[in-house]
Amino acid sequence: MKRLRNIIFPSFLIAMTLCFTSCGKEDAPVVDVNDPTDNFIPGEDEMDATAEMRRKFKEEEGSYLLFNDTIQKKELGIDIMGNTRYFVEVVDVNYMVGATSINTHPYTYTYLKTEEKRTAAVEYLKKYVLNHISKKTRPFSIFLASTITGSDVYGYATKPYAVSGERCVAMACGQLHRLLTEDSKNKYARKILLAMVSNIATSNESAFAEFKAVSEKYYRQDIKVPDGTDEEDYVRQCGFLSNMYFTYFMEYAEDVESYASMVLTYTDEKIATKYADYPKIIEKARLFKEALTNLGYIFLSLIHI
């Protein structure tokens, strides 16, 4: 029996398939890479309900819709051992343009296997998530998975609600049927939006320049608490919501995530009251929210205190 052999590439490495055109004893088929975005939409011969849903979503919402992280699989031919070879392109959520290394701890996914679950996930996405993000700020593609599994810096397994990269946002939608109230649906949406907003801020650093400037001199620097001053109080005076590392200040990306969580959770009035003694925190919250709004984020009734 002939075996199947897959050659798997993250989508950002697709250009490397051009090397298949090199000379050799075995003629290698060429994978067409003229328009990689073609791989994000169903083929012309795909006419099932899911394919139609994906086409309609792109037309109406502006983002490509995925239900699988494999976006291309093409037969390359037979190798010298008689095995069928395939070129397989997968979405790499972690990839960022300009990255110098490949992520060694990629995410893995399970999929929404029924039409009913896919339809419900799309309806939830439209009503509770995309209503906060204008078309100009929406991700290139959205991958609705059942579950997402990753690992933290120590190698322990994690189950994130969503992961966001430069070309794709992946959302875990397998438990949406358990969200029975508007409050629970909004709270879950906030967890997804947190990943998206954090990525928007770190990917558009120039738009958040004023926010960054407030505490920039402290990022990753040793914490030197003045005599007679409480450490937590000093950290907040410097514009940070918390002290993650005890001996040094957090980095910019962590600061972004903490403020993203705050502005998605608290009203302006609540922030002003809660941090009345820390003008830098109030200023940074205002600057963060202004920058986010200017980029197309829409603050609606998601706030739950």
Side-chain angles (χ1 to χ4, degrees):
M1 180 182 294
K2 293 182 179 180
R3 293 180 300 169
L4 302 181
R5 180 173 298 175
N6 290 344
I7 301 175
I8 302 177
F9 285 84
S11 59
F12 72 94
L13 290 179
I14 188 171
M16 292 180 64
T17 62
L18 295 174
C19 69
F20 290 137
T21 61
S22 61
C23 298
K25 292 183 179 179
E26 180 184 0
D27 292 332
V30 178
V31 177
D32 182 7
V33 294
N34 290 329
D35 187 0
T37 62
D38 287 347
N39 300 322
F40 285 82
I41 58 176
E44 294 181 357
D45 60 337
E46 296 181 60
M47 301 303 295
D48 57 78
T50 294
E52 289 302 314
M53 184 193 309
R54 292 175 60 199
R55 293 189 186 97
K56 184 177 180 181
F57 186 90
K58 177 64 173 71
E59 180 181 346
E60 294 179 349
E61 305 299 335
S63 298
Y64 292 100
L65 178 64
L66 305 173
F67 292 105
N68 194 302
D69 59 327
T70 299
I71 60 174
Q72 181 182 186
K73 183 175 182 179
K74 294 186 177 181
E75 187 174 326
L76 293 177
I78 307 299
D79 65 16
I80 60 175
M81 301 299 294
N83 301 316
T84 303
R85 297 186 304 151
Y86 289 93
F87 174 89
V88 181
E89 182 189 0
V90 298
V91 170
D92 183 3
V93 176
N94 295 86
Y95 176 68
M96 301 292 287
V97 172
T100 57
S101 62
I102 299 174
N103 177 34
T104 56
H105 299 287
Y107 295 103
T108 57
Y109 311 93
T110 60
Y111 307 120
L112 299 171
K113 296 182 178 180
T114 67
E115 190 69 32
E116 181 182 7
K117 288 183 178 180
R118 293 169 184 166
T119 300
V122 171
E123 291 176 352
Y124 177 85
L125 172 65
K126 289 180 177 180
K127 184 175 181 179
Y128 296 97
V129 178
L130 292 185
N131 61 332
H132 289 276
I133 303 178
S134 64
K135 284 189 176 181
K136 70 177 183 179
T137 313
R138 289 179 183 176
F140 176 80
S141 64
I142 301 173
F143 168 29
L144 301 182
S146 180
T147 63
I148 304 172
T149 303
S151 58
D152 61 20
V153 294
Y154 302 105
Y156 294 106
T158 61
K159 292 282 189 180
Y161 302 104
V163 289
S164 185
E166 195 164 274
R167 290 217 302 168
C168 185
V169 171
M171 293 171 42
C173 302
Q175 299 299 312
L176 292 182
H177 64 283
R178 296 181 180 274
L179 307 177
L180 302 179
T181 66
E182 284 297 299
D183 186 60
S184 63
K185 291 174 183 178
N186 279 318
K187 286 182 178 179
Y188 193 79
R190 187 171 68 233
K191 294 174 181 178
I192 294 170
L193 286 165
L194 175 58
M196 298 176 72
V197 166
S198 296
N199 185 65
I200 290 171
T202 53
S203 300
N204 296 274
E205 196 167 318
S206 60
F208 290 80
E210 290 185 73
F211 164 82
K212 184 178 181 180
V214 177
S215 301
E216 186 170 16
K217 67 179 181 180
Y218 299 110
Y219 292 136
R220 301 293 292 180
Q221 299 299 309
D222 292 339
I223 297 176
K224 300 177 181 178
V225 183
D227 292 339
T229 303
D230 177 76
E231 183 173 325
E232 182 179 3
D233 181 66
Y234 176 69
V235 167
R236 290 185 174 183
Q237 287 178 23
C238 297
F240 295 92
L241 298 178
S242 64
N243 176 20
M244 298 176 61
Y245 300 107
F246 301 104
T247 59
Y248 58 91
F249 291 103
M250 66 179 67
E251 60 186 28
Y252 172 67
E254 294 162 333
D255 197 23
V256 163
E257 185 171 352
S258 66
Y259 272 88
S261 180
M262 181 169 71
V263 301
L264 294 183
T265 304
Y266 297 131
T267 62
D268 295 341
E269 293 75 14
K270 178 67 175 181
I271 293 172
T273 301
K274 184 177 177 68
Y275 298 101
D277 296 329
Y278 305 103
K280 284 188 177 181
I281 289 180
I282 295 175
E283 179 188 12
K284 286 176 68 176
R286 176 182 61 80
L287 292 172
F288 190 94
K289 193 170 183 178
E290 286 180 357
L292 196 57
T293 301
N294 290 338
L295 286 173
Y297 189 88
I298 303 166
F299 286 89
L300 299 173
S301 57
L302 183 65
I303 306 301
H304 290 272
I305 301 174

